[in-house]
Amino acid sequence: MLTTDRQLVVPTPPDPQPEAWRESLRNAVRTPRELCEMLSLPLEIAADAGDFAMLVPRSYVRRMQPGNPADPLLRQVLPVAAEHQPADGFVADPVGDLAATRGPGLLHKYHGRVLLVLTGACAVNCRYCFRRHYPYATATATLRQLQPVLDQVAADESVDEVLLSGGDPLMLGDDLLADLVGRLEDIPHLRRLRIHTRLPIVLPERVTSELAELLGRSRLQPVVVVHANHANELDHQVAEALRQLSTAGAMLLNQAVLLRGVNDNLPALRALSERLLDLKVMPYYLHQLDRVAGAAHFEVPVERGLELIRQLRAELPGYAVPRYVQEIAGEPNKRVLA
């Protein structure tokens, strides 16, 4: 059990003048019609979003090419009819999250590290999201449930790394994150704090000076794993957000997903790796698509993925080539394909 009197701080109501990132999120595009109109595209290319609502920040839309229905950023966020077509082998929980749950919001799949699902909210709803059917309402830790979850972490000295996930953990405010990080720092056997987030890519103004300072002063080594799939996502605002995180002392890694029509070609993957390295981000993983229901139209055959990795290795230094991996439910680690 934790031997500290520190209590979780319940955040105060939002300030009447919200932070810039919250304002941007409030003004995000939420309907296929509005998105198509912004990009001068026919509404016929889109479909109803169904239970997985559409959500796209306007700054992300501005990185898309108007008039191009095949834009690689657009394809990641626009609901299409193929999502509603059933496909064999595509299921609600493709990576076995529910079987790995050890408490509200606590997942323990791999030796030495645990994952906290802190929120179901995100700044963008990627149509291939492997948690698009995750039962956040019942499987996410509330403020009152976090203490028992942290007690479980404190009781297991084999755990030296905690991963914050969601949704997106950076959807929580800086005050609440600071309180949570402080409580994790009170667990003596923890060494690293890993944050899996898409917000520095899709909503870069979320990287505030307060967030950077929080990571910079923590006794835990911060590892920030961002998620970019295409070089066009990495504009100057994203570059500045990543610079702030790097300057604060965070190790920066990128996870991409191999997606049909987005990055399933050599020029796209090469440009992504090169741009990431320019921004001091290590290309870490290229994921084979998790077979979540509604995302079958994004799947690229493994044989094609293997060929792309072979081509990347012929053109880039080894450190610029991500490991090609696949997560298999129940396996003790990610399966390295190449």
Side-chain angles (χ1 to χ4, degrees), residues 94-337:
V95 299
D97 277 345
L98 297 182
T101 299
R102 300 294 178 263
L106 178 65
L107 276 62
H108 196 171
K109 293 184 181 182
Y110 305 138
H111 177 75
R113 51 208 185 273
V114 296
L115 185 148
L116 297 179
V117 180
L118 297 175
T119 176
C122 193
V124 65
N125 284 348
C126 302
R127 309 313 298 178
Y128 53 87
C129 179
F130 71 96
R131 288 198 180 120
R132 59 181 290 170
H133 304 292
Y134 190 78
Y136 289 106
T138 58
T140 304
T142 65
L143 287 172
R144 296 185 182 279
Q145 292 170 320
L146 271 175
Q147 183 56 55
V149 165
L150 296 180
D151 286 343
Q152 289 188 58
V153 177
D156 187 349
E157 295 188 1
S158 71
V159 175
D160 58 16
E161 181 173 7
V162 169
L163 288 69
L164 306 185
S165 185
D168 197 302
L170 293 191
M171 289 292 286
L172 303 180
D174 291 333
D175 288 346
L176 184 55
L177 283 172
D179 189 77
L180 175 59
V181 171
R183 296 191 67 77
L184 292 171
E185 289 173 331
D186 287 337
I187 302 176
H189 53 83
L190 291 183
R191 301 172 63 182
R192 291 178 299 278
L193 175 68
R194 197 190 322 175
I195 300 174
H196 283 235
T197 177
R198 187 130 158 86
L199 263 69
I201 306 301
V202 301
L203 197 68
E205 54 265 50
R206 174 61 188 95
V207 181
T208 60
S209 58
E210 291 79 10
L211 176 62
E213 290 170 6
L214 167 63
L215 297 179
R217 68 175 179 261
S218 177
R219 76 159 185 87
L220 302 173
Q221 170 60 49
V223 181
V224 179
V225 184
V226 297
H227 176 187
N229 297 312
H230 197 278
N232 290 359
E233 296 178 287
L234 305 173
D235 68 0
H236 67 283
Q237 289 182 306
V238 174
E240 173 57 21
L242 296 174
R243 184 198 65 77
Q244 289 188 64
L245 293 171
S246 178
T247 301
M251 179 185 300
L252 300 181
L253 308 174
N254 184 68
Q255 291 191 131
V257 180
L258 184 60
L259 300 167
R260 187 197 307 173
V262 173
N263 58 12
D264 56 335
N265 61 82
L266 177 61
L269 289 177
R270 183 179 60 224
L272 175 61
S273 282
E274 290 176 333
R275 178 61 172 155
L276 287 168
L277 291 172
D278 289 343
L279 302 180
K280 299 182 180 180
V281 182
M282 181 64 66
Y284 175 42
Y285 278 156
L286 176 65
H287 280 268
Q288 179 65 14
L289 179 76
D290 294 319
R291 306 190 90 199
V292 64
H297 57 292
F298 284 113
E299 189 171 51
V300 178
V302 170
E303 294 76 15
R304 175 60 178 161
L306 293 171
E307 174 60 19
L308 287 168
I309 292 295
R310 187 194 66 77
Q311 293 174 3
L312 281 176
R313 286 188 176 135
E315 298 197 9
L316 294 175
Y319 60 81
V321 180
R323 280 181 289 176
Y324 182 33
V325 299
Q326 184 174 21
E327 186 163 359
I328 306 296
E331 291 198 357
N333 48 260
K334 287 183 173 60
R335 182 179 297 181
V336 178
L337 302 176

